[in-house]
Amino acid sequence: MIVEMKKGATREEIDAVVEKAKSQGLDVQLNLGTDKTVVALLGSNTGQLPTDIFAVLPGVESVTRIMKPYKLASREFKPSGSKVSCSGVEIGGERIIVIAGPCAVESEEQLTEAAVAVKKAGASILRGGAFKPRTSPFSFQGLQKVGLELLAKAREKTGMPVVTEVVEPKDVELVASYSDMLQIGSRNMQNYSLLTDAGRSHRPVVLKRGFSCTITEWLTAADYLLAEGNSVVLCERGIRTFEDSIRFSMDISSIPVLKRFSHLPVIVDPSHAAGHYSLVPAIAKAAVAAGADGLLIEVHPNPKEALVDGLQSLSPSDFTRLMEELKTIAKSVGRYI
Amino acid sequence: MIVEMKKGATREEIDAVVEKAKSQGLDVQLNLGTDKTVVALLGSNTGQLPTDIFAVLPGVESVTRIMKPYKLASREFKPSGSKVSCSGVEIGGERIIVIAGPCAVESEEQLTEAAVAVKKAGASILRGGAFKPRTSPFSFQGLQKVGLELLAKAREKTGMPVVTEVVEPKDVELVASYSDMLQIGSRNMQNYSLLTDAGRSHRPVVLKRGFSCTITEWLTAADYLLAEGNSVVLCERGIRTFEDSIRFSMDISSIPVLKRFSHLPVIVDPSHAAGHYSLVPAIAKAAVAAGADGLLIEVHPNPKEALVDGLQSLSPSDFTRLMEELKTIAKSVGRYI
Amino acid sequence: MIVEMKKGATREEIDAVVEKAKSQGLDVQLNLGTDKTVVALLGSNTGQLPTDIFAVLPGVESVTRIMKPYKLASREFKPSGSKVSCSGVEIGGERIIVIAGPCAVESEEQLTEAAVAVKKAGASILRGGAFKPRTSPFSFQGLQKVGLELLAKAREKTGMPVVTEVVEPKDVELVASYSDMLQIGSRNMQNYSLLTDAGRSHRPVVLKRGFSCTITEWLTAADYLLAEGNSVVLCERGIRTFEDSIRFSMDISSIPVLKRFSHLPVIVDPSHAAGHYSLVPAIAKAAVAAGADGLLIEVHPNPKEALVDGLQSLSPSDFTRLMEELKTIAKSVGRYI
Amino acid sequence: MIVEMKKGATREEIDAVVEKAKSQGLDVQLNLGTDKTVVALLGSNTGQLPTDIFAVLPGVESVTRIMKPYKLASREFKPSGSKVSCSGVEIGGERIIVIAGPCAVESEEQLTEAAVAVKKAGASILRGGAFKPRTSPFSFQGLQKVGLELLAKAREKTGMPVVTEVVEPKDVELVASYSDMLQIGSRNMQNYSLLTDAGRSHRPVVLKRGFSCTITEWLTAADYLLAEGNSVVLCERGIRTFEDSIRFSMDISSIPVLKRFSHLPVIVDPSHAAGHYSLVPAIAKAAVAAGADGLLIEVHPNPKEALVDGLQSLSPSDFTRLMEELKTIAKSVGRYI
């Protein structure tokens, strides 16, 4: 952590910074420039210290953090990449894992049809929403417990593990009792109560990126889950920008950035970013080429009749065609689906 | 809602749109342009209908919503401005209400000192965080129930109503039993379970803007609270942009925009936007001049020793000086503090 | 164009809108809803009409544009994709075109070394900056005319066409006399004098996206060039967002969006987006998988000694390795390099 | 400048950084942490050095700039605030300067009517566009030289100095021969040729903020003008964000930030940010309360007939009413209009 003093800061002001640092167990090195004094604070936990405790002192111009604020999620903490097992399906290995299924579980028939189709096309894990956080209070809110039961049934029929979103701390236990993996949605990435409770569950967690959160904030949120001993898969799903031709801008660069700074597996959700089925294939292909460890794709047996997000859902035949293309691209980057 | 058909869309495709619209109880008017057909869908609930159900049909180029997706929060629903009462303190009237106090309740002494100081300077409501959502799992998480008790004590001593944040649905009842008003934080603006539960409490709610949510999304979130019969005060607290010299960019324009499109009172939190005490006064003054109905300002008896966000907190003497300036500005726009 | 009237708009106010529309040669259809009147304006040029001329009329609540504001760049104007020839190298065909070379031309030796290396690795066009727009007035501003001469020499030696940036209208003619293709940089995307003059030159233009411009604004800028009869290659180079781990966020989704709405070829510059050589390969691969028609990659014989942007430049050996990977990915999407 | 070495960086790698620093005339201080080595580079010109020259070296994890990249525009360079004289009207003093007039000069009658009205209401400087950069090639591009002549005439009649935009380097001399102050528009903030030429003119320059440029980039652009010996007034005009209810989000916080980091006067253009006349007054008032030294407001004798941007223009009577309100607010912050 670097404390830049104001031009003309007094000896007393500099001393106060040094003292504060020492009280936090930090080593201090004074760099006396011609114009200004710069104080370097050294220690293994400077990433976790708030910069405010120095910035608030008189004579301080700025405080710059050099160490990252996250720890357990960092590549430095664990130089080799992590693999996460979802009931036997390994995410983060050579195989690229495709998770597919409908946005919302609507009925046994709809879910079964989707499950059978995506399995046949090569998906490894079934997704489906039982609890739906909706922007309008007047919209369909999901089948909830019934939805979870239908997911469990679909797992029995197809043998695929299932993943579903949990939106409230009080539901963690219930959802974990049905689902092989928990999903924490974009709007809950910084819902710390939910993170802590999901961290304590016995199910691995897919942590979606908050649509306006930086990668640093995302990895810091992952620390919440990792601190409880759980394992985490990161899911990039697009960020909010000024561009209005698409629902969210897919931040494809986050894949190499995460691979550089973190050991966690990274999957990509092209459906929520695109908002339109016609844009999903290009984004999915880009993600595989850029090094993603998996994809999360919405597939509905009949998108025109979907209760939620039909426009971004692929039909089974479109999904099957896309999977063939993705297999070729996976091969071209030394992996397989 | 306007459905633009693709150039060369067939009669059958147009008919399918018309049929779908009629099945939703909408009136339809066909506008046959030279190049393209445009279908206007008319009805009183088109704001609440998802555009997807039309966009997914074959031959459709785009669907544009004309009506706003929120209803209860709209100025059209209630042309005169709303006033919200917080245990007798009216927000939304001629008086500009200043809510002040420490970011986090740390101790009885700290809270009392802050409460006495802000009351003396002219604040009407006391704020203080008991449950603190923190970006790092290793940070101070608030005094929780003890914090609530200290807030109640401070209310007794000073006669000021108190407002504090609730971060989880399960805590709504507890917090509502101590606090005169509930605050829903920026990261929870779209936490729909929390909105629903807070909506059902018997306390008015301060709904902070999600730091990357549009005004339309904000008002739609307010609909969740209003749908349960509760009353709502909106709190602008800055948005995330590319600018990095300040923590969040204060969206001052949201004040006149909200006044135009909504009947709800609007207050402004300059402290979280600024992130630095030296920037708080200018933003607070701008808010009053722009028409805000109140302010939410962090004040700490000793910012240098604050456990949370000391850098953005004003000292009692800085706050007192600012209040004097704000009173003059309030007067210059025909109001008072 | 859709004009929504205010609730309670008078007959006279509606008539004034209708009259204004007719004076612009538009057809009008009134949609009388239960609550509000909505006026649909029909005509082939509504995309080019400013919405303001209606929004400013009394009783108007909002004006929504349905048609796109660009015309010549639209896919509707030319349903099949365009191909652009750069001195015989065709951009927009089955072959993916790689343009490579140093950020700035520094010396004959440096440029030649780069040119020979990128050609050997499979690049088709040589890039190199002679006029450098720099954020600081104290930085290296490019070799200017000498740089152009060195580019021409390098073309002679290698047989590769060259592309270089033009930053001022007065230089268009000079640059066009040396370069096979003109590049208009991100900061000049809306420099309309430059667009008009470059449009009149006899060289095709690579139009980089303004780093904060929407796709709609980009295609509207392309209309400036196309209106003068020139041909255009679009170059996506990343957009400014809140994410700070990378210089610009690569907007990978713009590739399928552009393919849907425009007939122009699209290339991608991963180097400027990344800002760091280690992130370039993943972005380049993603671009090819997503359907880009080409790439623009910075290569420097010795990045450590580069005068400009060394950090984002690949060394010849890194570039050669990347090209091998790109060739495999190109093949997997049915194309070649 | 702080160079963070990778964990496990070798002695040779550290030495190479030290050597590079010394070759640039910098002092070096090594901070050997337990985990990592951090190299502090000290010198008076580290703000102007590109970080790349260190980041590109092997073993370097990150390079963080502590000093600002601008110099002449900084408050440190000139601790007291600057005042800029526009033909006798002083900007940056106790008086808040209002610059007003039509977006585009359309005719002698229109300009005269506007000029007389704004002068009567208390404006000090007349604005009017002669050269108009337009997003569509099919829009009105301004009266150009005739527009300049009309501005000069209006100055004669009213005695007010005039300011108008220059969009191309080649026009600088012409525009400077008619106008008392030059305006550089948002899209040209990083047009370095234009900055250099305008810097060399004998007219002070109003430098509008690029709508997606950081304050740091803005002040660095101002350095271009100051380096040529010219004087500069900064004009905040709103930034591009995700919010879509307004054209640009007014970054009100930039006022106190600029006052802290720069000595240059700051004015605010509420018209372009708002895009709608009904939002202009609130933003203008906020700007004055926040400490702006002036305003730039569009006024048109008949907004309904304006050729450009009529929707954001105030009518003379609306402007007169606003000026009365602004005078009261100015007084409340210890200034006058």
Side-chain angles (χ1 to χ4, degrees), chain A residues 75 82 90-99 218 233-238 250-260 262-270 280-297 326-327 329-337, chain C residues 252 281-283 285-287 289 329:
Chain A
R75 175 73 65 177
S82 285
E90 190 187 75
I91 307 175
E94 204 181 317
R95 183 176 185 194
I96 291 171
I97 300 305
V98 178
I99 306 172
W218 191 10
V233 174
L234 301 168
C235 179
E236 167 66 51
R237 44 79 73 207
M250 170 51 57
D251 183 11
I252 201 78
S253 327
S254 75
I255 302 172
V257 170
L258 288 168
K259 289 292 170 194
R260 183 173 172 201
S262 176
H263 59 89
L264 298 172
V266 186
I267 66 173
V268 167
D269 172 355
V280 168
I283 299 174
K285 292 184 217 175
V288 169
D293 297 304
L295 293 167
L296 184 66
I297 300 180
L326 292 175
K327 283 171 194 170
I329 295 177
K331 217 174 139 189
S332 80
V333 292
R335 302 178 81 168
Y336 69 101
I337 291 184
Chain C
I252 201 77
I283 300 174
K285 292 185 217 173
I329 295 176

Side-chain angles (χ1 to χ4, degrees), chain C residues 18-39:
Chain C
V18 171
E19 220 165 286
K20 183 71 156 186
K22 290 194 169 154
S23 78
Q24 300 284 329
L26 302 175
D27 279 340
V28 171
Q29 200 154 358
L30 281 189
N31 302 303
L32 304 163
T34 41
D35 276 1
K36 291 180 176 186
T37 298
V38 170
V39 189

Side-chain angles (χ1 to χ4, degrees), chain A residues 96-318:
Chain A
I96 291 171
I97 300 305
V98 178
I99 306 172
C103 185
V105 177
E106 296 172 11
S107 69
E108 183 167 355
E109 197 189 0
Q110 172 245 21
L111 186 62
T112 307
E113 206 177 325
V116 169
V118 302
K119 189 182 181 186
K120 200 175 154 198
S124 311
I125 300 176
L126 177 65
R127 61 145 291 151
F131 293 87
K132 300 300 305 171
R134 304 303 302 281
T135 45
S136 162
F138 311 111
S139 305
F140 173 60
Q141 311 278 325
L143 293 182
Q144 317 213 356
K145 187 151 186 294
V146 172
L148 296 175
E149 289 163 358
L150 294 178
L151 282 166
K153 267 197 191 174
R155 172 176 49 209
E156 264 174 64
K157 273 185 212 156
T158 61
M160 277 193 289
V162 302
V163 58
T164 196
E165 182 171 352
V166 55
V167 300
E168 265 199 80
K170 77 169 170 49
D171 298 331
V172 167
E173 213 173 321
L174 176 73
V175 175
S177 72
Y178 284 95
S179 184
D180 300 273
M181 191 155 62
L182 303 178
Q183 179 181 309
I184 291 184
S186 185
R187 283 168 188 77
N188 278 319
M189 193 202 88
Q190 294 188 315
N191 182 337
Y192 302 112
S193 322
L194 184 59
L195 290 175
T196 303
D197 285 6
R200 287 173 188 158
S201 82
H202 53 298
R203 301 295 185 192
V205 176
V206 172
L207 181 63
K208 287 197 150 187
R209 178 181 187 177
F211 63 72
S212 279
C213 291
T214 63
I215 291 175
T216 297
E217 290 169 332
W218 191 10
L219 292 173
T220 307
D223 262 13
Y224 262 91
L225 294 160
L226 296 167
E228 303 293 340
N230 207 334
S231 52
V232 176
V233 174
L234 301 168
C235 179
E236 167 66 51
R237 44 79 73 207
I239 57 175
R240 180 157 279 183
T241 70
F242 60 84
E243 175 57 47
D244 58 3
S245 66
I246 195 163
R247 199 152 47 163
F248 292 96
S249 299
M250 170 51 57
D251 183 11
I252 201 78
S253 327
S254 75
I255 302 172
V257 170
L258 288 168
K259 289 292 170 194
R260 183 173 172 201
F261 292 119
S262 176
H263 59 89
L264 298 172
V266 186
I267 66 173
V268 167
D269 172 355
S271 307
H272 278 87
H276 195 285
Y277 62 92
S278 71
L279 306 170
V280 168
I283 299 174
K285 292 184 217 175
V288 169
D293 297 304
L295 293 167
L296 184 66
I297 300 180
E298 298 204 347
V299 178
H300 193 285
N302 186 359
K304 285 193 224 14
E305 302 299 330
L307 294 181
V308 183
D309 282 344
L311 190 58
Q312 74 195 35
S313 297
L314 298 186
S315 67
S317 65
D318 284 346

Side-chain angles (χ1 to χ4, degrees), chain C residues 6-312:
Chain C
K6 286 193 171 121
K7 215 169 156 173
T10 64
R11 189 66 230 180
E12 286 69 36
E13 289 171 339
I14 298 170
D15 286 350
V17 170
V18 171
E19 220 165 286
K20 183 71 156 186
K22 290 194 169 154
S23 78
Q24 300 284 329
L26 302 175
D27 279 340
V28 171
Q29 200 154 358
L30 281 189
N31 302 303
L32 304 163
T34 41
D35 276 1
K36 291 180 176 186
T37 298
V38 170
V39 189
L41 311 182
L42 306 169
S44 58
N45 69 331
T46 53
Q48 277 71 50
L49 268 187
T51 53
D52 279 19
I53 61 174
F54 298 103
V56 82
L57 297 177
V60 171
E61 175 73 29
S62 74
V63 184
T64 308
R65 194 193 284 290
I66 304 292
M67 306 294 281
K68 301 277 194 298
Y70 51 86
K71 197 166 178 168
L72 308 175
S74 73
R75 176 72 67 178
E76 291 190 342
F77 183 78
K78 185 166 179 301
S80 66
S82 285
K83 289 170 190 172
V84 172
S85 170
C86 170
S87 298
V89 176
E90 189 188 75
I91 307 176
E94 204 180 319
R95 184 175 184 195
I96 291 170
I97 299 305
V98 178
I99 306 171
C103 185
V105 177
E106 296 171 12
S107 68
E108 183 166 356
E109 198 190 358
Q110 172 245 22
L111 185 62
T112 309
E113 206 178 324
V116 169
V118 304
K119 190 183 180 185
K120 200 175 153 199
S124 313
I125 301 175
L126 177 67
R127 62 145 291 150
F131 294 87
K132 300 301 305 171
R134 303 302 303 281
T135 46
S136 163
F138 312 112
S139 305
F140 172 60
Q141 311 278 327
L143 294 181
Q144 316 212 357
K145 185 151 186 293
V146 171
L148 295 175
E149 289 162 359
L150 293 178
L151 282 166
K153 268 199 191 172
R155 173 177 48 210
E156 264 173 64
K157 274 186 213 154
T158 61
M160 276 193 291
V162 303
V163 58
T164 196
E165 183 170 351
V166 56
V167 300
E168 265 199 81
K170 76 169 169 53
D171 299 331
V172 167
E173 213 173 322
L174 175 74
V175 176
S177 72
Y178 283 94
S179 185
D180 300 272
M181 190 154 63
L182 304 178
Q183 180 182 309
I184 292 186
S186 185
R187 283 167 188 77
N188 278 319
M189 193 202 88
Q190 294 188 315
N191 182 337
Y192 302 111
S193 322
L194 184 59
L195 290 175
T196 302
D197 285 6
R200 287 172 189 159
S201 82
H202 53 297
R203 301 294 185 194
V205 177
V206 172
L207 180 65
K208 287 199 150 185
R209 178 181 186 175
F211 64 72
S212 278
C213 291
T214 63
I215 290 175
T216 297
E217 289 168 334
W218 192 8
L219 292 174
T220 307
D223 263 13
Y224 262 91
L225 294 160
L226 297 167
E228 304 293 340
N230 207 333
S231 52
V232 176
V233 174
L234 302 168
C235 179
E236 168 65 50
R237 45 79 73 210
I239 57 175
R240 180 156 279 182
T241 69
F242 60 83
E243 175 57 46
D244 57 3
S245 66
I246 195 163
R247 200 152 47 163
F248 292 97
S249 299
M250 171 50 57
D251 184 11
I252 201 77
S253 327
S254 73
I255 302 172
V257 169
L258 287 168
K259 289 293 170 192
R260 183 173 171 201
F261 292 119
S262 175
H263 59 88
L264 298 172
V266 185
I267 67 172
V268 166
D269 172 354
S271 307
H272 278 87
H276 195 284
Y277 61 91
S278 71
L279 304 170
V280 168
I283 300 174
K285 292 185 217 173
V288 169
D293 298 304
L295 292 166
L296 185 65
I297 300 181
E298 299 204 346
V299 178
H300 192 285
N302 187 358
K304 285 192 224 15
E305 301 300 329
L307 294 181
V308 183
D309 281 344
L311 190 58
Q312 74 195 34

Side-chain angles (χ1 to χ4, degrees), chain D:
Chain D
M1 202 173 276
I2 304 296
V3 179
E4 177 198 16
M5 303 301 296
K6 285 192 172 124
K7 215 169 156 171
T10 65
R11 189 67 230 179
E12 286 69 37
E13 290 171 339
I14 298 169
D15 285 350
V17 170
V18 171
E19 220 165 286
K20 182 71 156 187
K22 289 194 169 154
S23 79
Q24 301 284 330
L26 302 175
D27 280 340
V28 171
Q29 200 153 357
L30 280 188
N31 302 303
L32 303 164
T34 42
D35 278 0
K36 292 182 174 181
T37 298
V38 170
V39 189
L41 310 181
L42 306 168
S44 58
N45 69 331
T46 53
Q48 277 70 51
L49 269 187
T51 54
D52 279 18
I53 62 174
F54 298 102
V56 83
L57 297 177
V60 170
E61 175 74 28
S62 74
V63 184
T64 308
R65 195 194 283 290
I66 305 292
M67 305 294 282
K68 302 276 194 300
Y70 52 84
K71 198 166 176 166
L72 308 175
S74 73
R75 174 76 62 179
E76 291 189 342
F77 183 77
K78 186 166 181 300
S80 66
S82 285
K83 290 171 189 172
V84 172
S85 169
C86 170
S87 299
V89 176
E90 188 188 75
I91 307 176
E94 204 182 318
R95 183 175 183 194
I96 291 170
I97 300 304
V98 178
I99 305 171
C103 185
V105 177
E106 297 171 12
S107 69
E108 182 166 355
E109 196 190 0
Q110 171 245 23
L111 186 62
T112 308
E113 204 177 325
V116 169
V118 302
K119 189 182 181 184
K120 199 176 155 198
S124 312
I125 300 175
L126 177 67
R127 62 146 290 152
F131 294 87
K132 299 300 304 170
R134 304 302 303 280
T135 47
S136 162
F138 312 111
S139 305
F140 173 60
Q141 311 277 328
L143 292 182
Q144 316 213 358
K145 185 150 187 295
V146 172
L148 295 175
E149 289 162 359
L150 294 178
L151 283 166
K153 266 198 191 172
R155 174 177 49 211
E156 265 173 63
K157 272 186 213 153
T158 62
M160 277 193 289
V162 302
V163 58
T164 196
E165 183 171 352
V166 57
V167 299
E168 266 198 81
K170 75 169 170 52
D171 298 332
V172 166
E173 213 172 321
L174 175 74
V175 176
S177 72
Y178 284 96
S179 184
D180 301 272
M181 190 155 62
L182 303 179
Q183 180 181 310
I184 291 185
S186 185
R187 282 167 189 77
N188 278 320
M189 191 202 89
Q190 295 188 314
N191 182 337
Y192 302 113
S193 322
L194 184 58
L195 290 176
T196 303
D197 286 5
R200 287 172 189 159
S201 81
H202 52 296
R203 301 295 185 192
V205 177
V206 171
L207 181 63
K208 287 197 151 188
R209 178 180 187 176
F211 63 72
S212 279
C213 291
T214 62
I215 290 174
T216 297
E217 290 169 332
W218 191 10
L219 292 173
T220 307
D223 262 12
Y224 262 91
L225 294 160
L226 296 167
E228 303 293 341
N230 207 332
S231 54
V232 175
V233 174
L234 301 168
C235 179
E236 167 65 51
R237 45 78 75 208
I239 57 175
R240 180 157 279 182
T241 70
F242 61 84
E243 176 58 45
D244 58 3
S245 66
I246 195 163
R247 200 152 48 163
F248 292 96
S249 299
M250 171 50 59
D251 184 11
I252 200 78
S253 326
S254 74
I255 302 172
V257 170
L258 287 168
K259 289 291 170 194
R260 184 173 171 200
F261 292 119
S262 175
H263 59 89
L264 298 172
V266 185
I267 66 172
V268 167
D269 172 355
S271 307
H272 278 87
H276 194 284
Y277 62 89
S278 71
L279 305 171
V280 169
I283 300 175
K285 292 185 217 172
V288 169
D293 298 305
L295 292 166
L296 185 65
I297 300 181
E298 298 204 346
V299 177
H300 193 286
N302 187 359
K304 285 193 225 13
E305 301 300 329
L307 294 181
V308 184
D309 282 344
L311 190 58
Q312 73 195 34
S313 297
L314 298 186
S315 66
S317 65
D318 284 346
F319 178 69
T320 305
R321 194 176 321 114
L322 173 58
M323 285 294 280
E324 290 314 305
E325 298 177 325
L326 292 174
K327 284 171 192 168
T328 327
I329 296 177
K331 215 174 142 191
S332 78
V333 293
R335 301 178 81 168
Y336 69 101
I337 291 185

